[in-house]
Amino acid sequence: MNKLGLFVVYLISIGRLAFGASFTVDAGHPSGKVSPRLYGLMTEEINHSYDGGLYAELIRNRVFLDDANTPAHWSVIKDDASDATIALDPANPCNDKLTTSLRLKIDKATRDHPAGVANSGYWGIPVKPNTRYRTTLLARSGAGFSGPLTVSIVAEDAKTVYASGKISGLGEKWNRFQVTLKTDRVVPTAKARFQITFEQPGTVWLGLVSLFPPTWNDRPNGLRKDLMQMLVDLKPKFLRFPGGNYLEGDTIETRFEWKKTIGPIEERHGHPCPWGYRSSDGLGLLEFLEWCEDMKAEPVLAVYAGYSLRGIHVNPGPELEPYLKEALEEIEYVIGDTRTTWGARRAKDGHPKPFNLTYVEIGNEDWFDKSGSYDARFAQFHDAIKAPYPHLKTISTIANDQPEKMRVHSRKPDMIDEHYYRSTDEFLHMSPDYARKYDRSGPEIFVGEWAAHEDAKIKPWDAAARQQPPTPSMKAALGDAAFMAAMERNSDLILMQCYAPLLVNVNPGGRQWRPDLIGYDALSSFGSPSYYAFQVFSRNLGDEILAMQSVETTIQGAATRDSKTGEIFIKLVNPQDKPESLQLELKGIASLASKATAITLTAALGEINSIVHPHNVIPTTTTLEHVQPVFSYTLPPHSIVVLKLKSRS
Ligand code: AHR
């Protein structure tokens, strides 16, 4: 070593002594490949994620099946000079899939005193300026009445009409009617309802009433734009669906029965979801797949595998055969070409091109099946799927830390799904060593559900949880970030991970679980601090893992590099309530561009975002000057930082 070299070594060691806390990144020898699918999303119908959430339909109980006894969410409109009644009419359904209709009988109505029926939507109808809303009715009328009907979006107090249109030509046969309603320069509000009114007496039966605002990519049965933008901004590589518990159902009959979720919306009967309300099935199998397509993400398809939440299991063997068939047909619907039965059906439904599929998850959280039947059920599904589709990989839902006798032994699953709902403190404690215990030769690991909770004692579904904000605070985000860093460090083995739950309608009665990544009401949405932690991690990811070593610090982190651009991403998490000065050393690198970028998310532990304050905690970007392979950096208290460094050859 020449004199200059010795001098540099001297400076480095002086720096070490001065700083104490240090991180060394080995940029000379990547220790593994980052999984190209690492960051993804998990979704199910919970917290009104779809109905009253991502699925853009605005009419609640559009086919009148939410309650068997009354037209829930529908009310009569009349005044002292008009009269009307509404009732469910199971004797007059519009087709054989829907088992009832709504009979609307107008006994007295005039132009000045109209009567009719109103729908309150999912906690209001969102009214936005200069916006087109597509109304669809399936209707028939009694003899001698052909309309017109007025359909409109009006203020809750009925004083302001935001948009309206007419429907005429009704007859005694069921027919489909469409009209577009357009708002002008209105002040956005959700204090509005949708109504159908008459100006003369008559009787009408309604089979379906639907109202769609503009959707993402203009899909007719599509998704809400603001929420899709937030999801796309996370750059997810996959979407795990349809659950979660929503896949399993409370009972076998209420499982996610995919065939009932395809086809025209007026043929979707819907079904009770395990989270205490009825799903319209408007967001069905094809919509899940198109949602993936719109995010440029791959589906991770979970198939019902014979276990439902009330502890009911289907015996492996012949009894399980119908469910195997159902799953194989589902896979054919996803990837079969148009010469196959279900590929042809997909084409008929509007999507001839098969979707990409690599992973099929067999059930969900089957460690709850205390009968011990999962090993045999898994084997049956695994063999049946691998025979026609050897390229598909199967995921077992029983994690390595479950008792031996519960786990899958008779086959080697390609992947294992692990779920971690832990407190921030637990994540901070477990993350430094996470995945060290695993056999690097497989199976691959999927962390298919995880989230840091501020307080482990409060269960996500408890009454006490309902007293807390629906989305996590900065404290939870710190636990999330530490765990994400751990998964990145191990992403040669942890091939996929997704936070859960993803979505929550923040209205009273809208949620069943906390915390959730993204919150919304009818009109607007916001990301939690955890959303932004996930976003800055997912969007700044290389394809090579760089080993990191820390000395004398509680800071946790991960480092990756983009092998094409040479850009290095260092993620650091400071859970302490004081700043931490670190010496960062990049070994094996000749020099760095002197300017670098720091993205920082920092706030007091209790800080949250909300509908009213959506940007209270968001990342800020700054430029760092004079960056060298050894440099000092001070992390603010309670902070999550991504440093982006450019190597210079
Ligand atoms: O994410 C909420 C629930 O937690 C999921 O439905 C289930 O898989 C898990 O127990």
Side-chain angles (χ1 to χ4, degrees), residues 282-345:
L283 203 159
L285 180 58
L286 183 62
E287 289 75 25
F288 277 114
L289 295 165
E290 289 178 338
W291 170 10
C292 293
E293 191 168 79
D294 286 349
M295 297 193 299
K296 298 188 174 52
E298 193 176 298
V300 171
L301 178 70
V303 295
Y304 180 76
Y307 179 75
S308 292
L309 293 162
R310 286 194 191 148
I312 309 154
H313 80 275
V314 180
N315 286 323
E319 284 177 38
L320 198 60
E321 288 297 325
Y323 303 97
L324 271 180
K325 185 165 176 282
E326 188 174 295
L328 288 171
E329 289 170 339
E330 184 173 11
I331 293 170
E332 189 175 285
Y333 187 90
V334 179
I335 60 174
D337 70 35
T338 53
R339 288 163 302 181
T340 62
T341 309
W342 289 102
R345 174 60 203 261

Side-chain angles (χ1 to χ4, degrees), residues 474 478 574-578 601-605 635-640:
M474 185 67 201
L478 290 163
N574 181 10
Q576 309 163 106
D577 57 5
K578 57 180 177 36
L601 188 68
T602 179
L605 290 183
L635 286 132
H638 304 141
S639 64
I640 298 164

